[in-house]
């Protein structure tokens, strides 16, 4: 399914009768809301991620060498200047580096950041999304961003072992708060691919040590999710769908999409608009399975970072790796890290509904614009208990 098909399908979801119509003013408003919602959401996620690593952005910006954009062919882009709010920063003036980083951290609207430069010999303006997804910033380049990030880490560790004459090294992760995660006597690093997830493990990378193996859950900077919960909380999902079909959940009715009967639409019965997301708060299964949801049965260490070549330092058999955040066990979780249940439309999932846990801090309980969100309190919703 191409991009146009996906837009048309999503538009049909949001139209009360499931039929798109370019001649219907009300439906055109829905289309515009949907486009605004998607563009703003993606841009803001990219901006928030860059704000966490302004040094990485400025290093690329002032390099004066082409870097890959997030395009099918990975086009080379040369930045000339960037406009942040009402300030303009020239890529040739490295003396402004700290001022640029400060301006990026202060900006709150992704649309107030414009990067101007040369693309295939022509002046072009690009968004923060294109910058953040650049392969040179740890993003995607014709493949999964997470996988490329994991490969970066695996290659760096194995290269360090090779530089140490093939002898085992200690791998020390130090995050922005100087929290340390130490894995001693590492002989090899290897990616787990999809093998671990199929087994219900959280690890993305395995470090083979002289005394065993330690899995790492590697998360890029920016938003992430905890886990799919179809197996863990299947009973809750079934009760939600059946109760929703029967109209037993306040402000919700679940019924087949008129164009795809196997896809269930989560709708507001008052205006028949579709919910983009439904959140279930205070589900007791979260606390009872907190360690499994976050660190998995393999008790993986969580390492968050969009890695780059400047994050590694090998000295005296110790590889020090800069990270954004380390989480070793549930004691390292903050209140806003706590998983919450999220249900969202997903055409490739059973019933057309995605069912997973995400950190509370990423739950958009009140969307800024466009779309609809429903928040349920498990304790006040008897039909799903």
């Amino acid at each position: 399914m191409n991009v146009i098909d996906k837009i048309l399908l999503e538009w049909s979801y949001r139209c009360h009768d499931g039929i798109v119509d370019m001649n219907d003013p009300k439906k055109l408003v829905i289309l515009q809301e949907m486009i605004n919602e998607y563009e703003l959401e993606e841009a803001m996620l990219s901006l928030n991620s860059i704000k966490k690593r302004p040094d990485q952005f400025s290093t690329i910006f002032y390099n004066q060498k082409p870097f890959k954009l997030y395009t099918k062919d990975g086009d080379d882009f040369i930045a000339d200047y960037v406009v942040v709010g009402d300030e303009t920063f020239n890529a040739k003036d490295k003396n402004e580096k700290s001022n640029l980083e400060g301006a990026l951290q202060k900006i709150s609207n992704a649309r107030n950041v414009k990067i101007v430069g040369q693309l295939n010999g022509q002046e072009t303006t690009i968004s923060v999304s294109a910058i953040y997804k650049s392969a040179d910033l740890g993003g995607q380049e014709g493949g999964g961003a997470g996988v490329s990030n994991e490969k970066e880490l695996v290659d760096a560790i194995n290269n360090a072992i090779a530089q140490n004459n093939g002898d085992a090294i200690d791998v020390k992760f130090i995050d922005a708060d100087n929290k340390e995660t130490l894995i001693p006597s590492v002989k090899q690093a290897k990616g787990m691919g999809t093998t671990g997830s199929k087994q219900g493990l959280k690890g993305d990378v395995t470090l083979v040590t002289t005394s065993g193996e330690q899995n790492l859950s590697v998360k890029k900077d920016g938003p992430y999710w905890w886990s799919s919960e179809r197996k863990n909380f299947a009973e809750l999902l079934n009760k939600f769908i059946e109760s929703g079909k029967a109209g037993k959940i306040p402000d919700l009715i679940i019924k087949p999409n008129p164009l795809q009967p196997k896809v269930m639409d989560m709708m507001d019965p008052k205006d028949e608009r579709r919910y983009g997301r439904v959140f279930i708060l205070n589900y007791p299964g979260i606390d009872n399975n907190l360690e499994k949801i976050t660190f998995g049965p393999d008790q993986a260490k969580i390492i968050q970072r969009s890695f780059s070549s400047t994050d590694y330092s090998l000295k005296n058999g110790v590889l020090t790796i800069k990270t954004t955040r380390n989480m070793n066990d549930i004691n390292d979780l903050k209140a806003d890290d706590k998983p919450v249940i999220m249900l969202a439309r997903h055409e490739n999932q059973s019933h057309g509904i995605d069912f997973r846990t995400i950190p509370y801090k990423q739950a958009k309980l009140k969307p800024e614009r466009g779309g609809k969100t429903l928040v349920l309190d498990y304790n006040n919703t008897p039909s799903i208990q």
Side-chain angles (χ1 to χ4, degrees), residues 118-296:
Q118 303 297 314
L119 181 64
N120 298 326
Q122 296 185 345
E123 184 173 276
T124 304
T125 300
I126 62 176
S127 69
V128 289
S129 297
I131 285 287
Y132 178 62
K133 290 182 178 179
S134 161
D136 290 328
L137 285 175
Q140 301 182 32
E141 184 180 13
V147 174
S148 64
N149 196 46
E150 293 154 18
K151 185 177 185 301
E152 161 77 29
L153 177 63
V154 168
D155 288 347
I157 294 174
N158 286 333
N159 288 339
I161 293 172
Q163 292 177 39
N164 199 48
N165 300 318
D167 294 334
I169 61 173
D170 293 343
V171 178
K172 183 189 298 184
F173 299 93
I174 300 181
D175 69 14
D177 294 324
N178 289 319
K179 181 177 178 58
E180 180 180 305
T181 297
L182 177 64
I183 314 296
S185 304
V186 176
K187 301 187 298 181
Q188 180 189 13
K190 54 185 181 180
M192 296 179 66
T194 59
T195 302
S197 59
K198 290 180 179 179
Q199 298 175 353
L201 305 179
K202 297 294 289 187
D204 303 302
V205 171
T206 297
L207 300 186
V208 182
T209 74
T210 56
S211 59
E213 296 184 348
Q214 175 62 59
N215 287 348
L216 304 177
S217 175
V218 182
K219 301 184 182 299
K220 291 190 63 186
D221 289 330
Y224 59 88
W225 51 281
W226 284 122
S227 62
S228 174
E229 304 298 352
R230 286 188 174 273
K231 294 182 179 180
N232 293 337
F233 303 138
E235 182 179 0
L236 174 64
L237 177 60
N238 291 335
K239 286 183 178 180
F240 172 82
I241 292 175
E242 295 306 315
S243 297
K245 288 180 179 179
K248 295 181 179 180
I249 299 177
D251 301 318
L252 176 69
I253 185 69
I254 296 179
K255 57 184 182 181
N257 181 275
L259 299 182
Q260 293 182 297
K262 292 184 179 181
V263 173
M264 296 291 107
D265 286 338
M266 303 179 291
M267 306 176 67
D268 185 338
K270 297 190 293 295
D271 59 13
E272 295 193 329
R273 288 186 62 193
R274 288 154 182 81
Y275 289 112
R277 296 175 178 85
V278 176
F279 295 99
I280 300 178
L281 307 182
N282 300 316
Y283 178 55
I286 296 294
D287 288 334
N288 296 337
N289 295 272
L290 182 59
E291 187 170 29
K292 179 180 179 181
I293 293 170
T294 52
F295 295 90

Side-chain angles (χ1 to χ4, degrees), residues 362-378:
Q362 291 170 205
K364 297 185 177 180
L365 305 183
K366 295 181 180 180
E368 294 181 2
R369 60 186 297 177
K372 286 178 71 71
T373 295
L374 176 64
V375 180
L376 301 174
D377 187 328
Y378 179 84

Side-chain angles (χ1 to χ4, degrees), residues 84-98:
V84 183
D86 57 0
E87 297 182 78
T88 300
F89 300 90
N90 193 302
K92 294 182 180 180
D93 189 358
K94 293 185 179 181
N95 294 327
E96 292 290 310
K97 185 174 184 292
S98 61

Side-chain angles (χ1 to χ4, degrees), residues 331-342:
N331 294 318
D332 292 331
L333 297 176
K334 300 176 182 178
D336 60 3
D337 292 320
K338 184 176 180 179
V340 296
I341 298 287
M342 182 187 78

